[in-house]
PDB file of all heavy atoms in Angstrom:
ATOM      1  N   GLY A 245      20.440   4.418 -15.146  1.00 95.00           N
ATOM      2  CA  GLY A 245      20.071   5.737 -15.644  1.00 95.00           C
ATOM      3  C   GLY A 245      19.435   6.669 -14.632  1.00 95.00           C
ATOM      4  O   GLY A 245      19.150   7.832 -14.960  1.00 95.00           O
ATOM      5  N   THR A 246      19.231   6.207 -13.412  1.00 96.00           N
ATOM      6  CA  THR A 246      18.655   7.032 -12.345  1.00 96.00           C
ATOM      7  C   THR A 246      19.547   6.952 -11.126  1.00 96.00           C
ATOM      8  O   THR A 246      20.017   5.866 -10.767  1.00 96.00           O
ATOM      9  CB  THR A 246      17.237   6.539 -11.977  1.00 96.00           C
ATOM     10  OG1 THR A 246      16.401   6.605 -13.124  1.00 96.00           O
ATOM     11  CG2 THR A 246      16.622   7.379 -10.868  1.00 96.00           C
ATOM     12  N   ARG A 247      19.808   8.083 -10.498  1.00 95.00           N
ATOM     13  CA  ARG A 247      20.676   8.068  -9.319  1.00 95.00           C
ATOM     14  C   ARG A 247      20.086   7.166  -8.233  1.00 95.00           C
ATOM     15  O   ARG A 247      18.859   7.073  -8.064  1.00 95.00           O
ATOM     16  CB  ARG A 247      20.862   9.480  -8.761  1.00 95.00           C
ATOM     17  CG  ARG A 247      21.554  10.432  -9.707  1.00 95.00           C
ATOM     18  CD  ARG A 247      21.763  11.800  -9.065  1.00 95.00           C
ATOM     19  NE  ARG A 247      20.525  12.335  -8.499  1.00 95.00           N
ATOM     20  CZ  ARG A 247      20.449  13.442  -7.770  1.00 95.00           C
ATOM     21  NH1 ARG A 247      21.549  14.144  -7.524  1.00 95.00           N
ATOM     22  NH2 ARG A 247      19.297  13.857  -7.303  1.00 95.00           N
ATOM     23  N   ILE A 248      20.967   6.525  -7.471  1.00 96.00           N
ATOM     24  CA  ILE A 248      20.522   5.612  -6.414  1.00 96.00           C
ATOM     25  C   ILE A 248      19.578   6.327  -5.451  1.00 96.00           C
ATOM     26  O   ILE A 248      18.512   5.808  -5.095  1.00 96.00           O
ATOM     27  CB  ILE A 248      21.742   5.036  -5.657  1.00 96.00           C
ATOM     28  CG1 ILE A 248      22.592   4.182  -6.596  1.00 96.00           C
ATOM     29  CG2 ILE A 248      21.279   4.206  -4.464  1.00 96.00           C
ATOM     30  CD1 ILE A 248      23.939   3.777  -6.018  1.00 96.00           C
ATOM     31  N   ILE A 249      19.928   7.540  -5.024  1.00 96.00           N
ATOM     32  CA  ILE A 249      19.079   8.260  -4.073  1.00 96.00           C
ATOM     33  C   ILE A 249      17.708   8.562  -4.683  1.00 96.00           C
ATOM     34  O   ILE A 249      16.701   8.587  -3.965  1.00 96.00           O
ATOM     35  CB  ILE A 249      19.762   9.555  -3.578  1.00 96.00           C
ATOM     36  CG1 ILE A 249      18.969  10.136  -2.401  1.00 96.00           C
ATOM     37  CG2 ILE A 249      19.921  10.573  -4.687  1.00 96.00           C
ATOM     38  CD1 ILE A 249      19.648  11.298  -1.715  1.00 96.00           C
ATOM     39  N   ASP A 250      17.650   8.756  -5.994  1.00 96.00           N
ATOM     40  CA  ASP A 250      16.361   9.043  -6.626  1.00 96.00           C
ATOM     41  C   ASP A 250      15.466   7.810  -6.659  1.00 96.00           C
ATOM     42  O   ASP A 250      14.234   7.926  -6.613  1.00 96.00           O
ATOM     43  CB  ASP A 250      16.572   9.613  -8.022  1.00 96.00           C
ATOM     44  CG  ASP A 250      17.182  11.007  -7.996  1.00 96.00           C
ATOM     45  OD1 ASP A 250      16.871  11.763  -7.052  1.00 96.00           O
ATOM     46  OD2 ASP A 250      17.987  11.340  -8.881  1.00 96.00           O
ATOM     47  N   HIS A 251      16.067   6.626  -6.737  1.00 97.00           N
ATOM     48  CA  HIS A 251      15.277   5.400  -6.592  1.00 97.00           C
ATOM     49  C   HIS A 251      14.627   5.362  -5.203  1.00 97.00           C
ATOM     50  O   HIS A 251      13.460   4.980  -5.064  1.00 97.00           O
ATOM     51  CB  HIS A 251      16.163   4.169  -6.783  1.00 97.00           C
ATOM     52  CG  HIS A 251      16.529   3.874  -8.206  1.00 97.00           C
ATOM     53  ND1 HIS A 251      15.651   3.279  -9.097  1.00 97.00           N
ATOM     54  CD2 HIS A 251      17.673   4.087  -8.892  1.00 97.00           C
ATOM     55  CE1 HIS A 251      16.250   3.126 -10.273  1.00 97.00           C
ATOM     56  NE2 HIS A 251      17.479   3.624 -10.178  1.00 97.00           N
ATOM     57  N   VAL A 252      15.398   5.754  -4.194  1.00 97.00           N
ATOM     58  CA  VAL A 252      14.869   5.771  -2.827  1.00 97.00           C
ATOM     59  C   VAL A 252      13.763   6.817  -2.696  1.00 97.00           C
ATOM     60  O   VAL A 252      12.703   6.562  -2.107  1.00 97.00           O
ATOM     61  CB  VAL A 252      15.997   6.038  -1.801  1.00 97.00           C
ATOM     62  CG1 VAL A 252      15.445   6.031  -0.379  1.00 97.00           C
ATOM     63  CG2 VAL A 252      17.113   5.006  -1.943  1.00 97.00           C
ATOM     64  N   ILE A 253      14.001   7.992  -3.259  1.00 97.00           N
ATOM     65  CA  ILE A 253      12.985   9.056  -3.222  1.00 97.00           C
ATOM     66  C   ILE A 253      11.694   8.590  -3.897  1.00 97.00           C
ATOM     67  O   ILE A 253      10.594   8.784  -3.360  1.00 97.00           O
ATOM     68  CB  ILE A 253      13.522  10.333  -3.898  1.00 97.00           C
ATOM     69  CG1 ILE A 253      14.630  10.960  -3.040  1.00 97.00           C
ATOM     70  CG2 ILE A 253      12.396  11.341  -4.121  1.00 97.00           C
ATOM     71  CD1 ILE A 253      15.372  12.106  -3.731  1.00 97.00           C
ATOM     72  N   ASN A 254      11.832   7.947  -5.045  1.00 97.00           N
ATOM     73  CA  ASN A 254      10.654   7.491  -5.782  1.00 97.00           C
ATOM     74  C   ASN A 254       9.874   6.424  -5.009  1.00 97.00           C
ATOM     75  O   ASN A 254       8.645   6.350  -5.125  1.00 97.00           O
ATOM     76  CB  ASN A 254      11.061   6.954  -7.157  1.00 97.00           C
ATOM     77  CG  ASN A 254      11.592   8.035  -8.075  1.00 97.00           C
ATOM     78  OD1 ASN A 254      11.311   9.215  -7.890  1.00 97.00           O
ATOM     79  ND2 ASN A 254      12.385   7.638  -9.062  1.00 97.00           N
ATOM     80  N   SER A 255      10.587   5.607  -4.248  1.00 97.00           N
ATOM     81  CA  SER A 255       9.926   4.577  -3.439  1.00 97.00           C
ATOM     82  C   SER A 255       9.263   5.159  -2.198  1.00 97.00           C
ATOM     83  O   SER A 255       8.157   4.762  -1.819  1.00 97.00           O
ATOM     84  CB  SER A 255      10.942   3.509  -3.009  1.00 97.00           C
ATOM     85  OG  SER A 255      11.470   2.820  -4.118  1.00 97.00           O
ATOM     86  N   MET A 256       9.936   6.101  -1.570  1.00 98.00           N
ATOM     87  CA  MET A 256       9.469   6.624  -0.285  1.00 98.00           C
ATOM     88  C   MET A 256       8.392   7.696  -0.419  1.00 98.00           C
ATOM     89  O   MET A 256       7.473   7.773   0.410  1.00 98.00           O
ATOM     90  CB  MET A 256      10.651   7.193   0.495  1.00 98.00           C
ATOM     91  CG  MET A 256      11.611   6.147   1.039  1.00 98.00           C
ATOM     92  SD  MET A 256      10.903   5.212   2.417  1.00 98.00           S
ATOM     93  CE  MET A 256      10.886   6.493   3.690  1.00 98.00           C
TER      94      MET A 256
END
Side-chain angles (χ1 to χ4, degrees):
T246 301
R247 297 183 308 173
I248 296 170
I249 191 172
D250 291 326
H251 284 283
V252 181
I253 291 171
N254 293 338
S255 296
M256 289 288 290

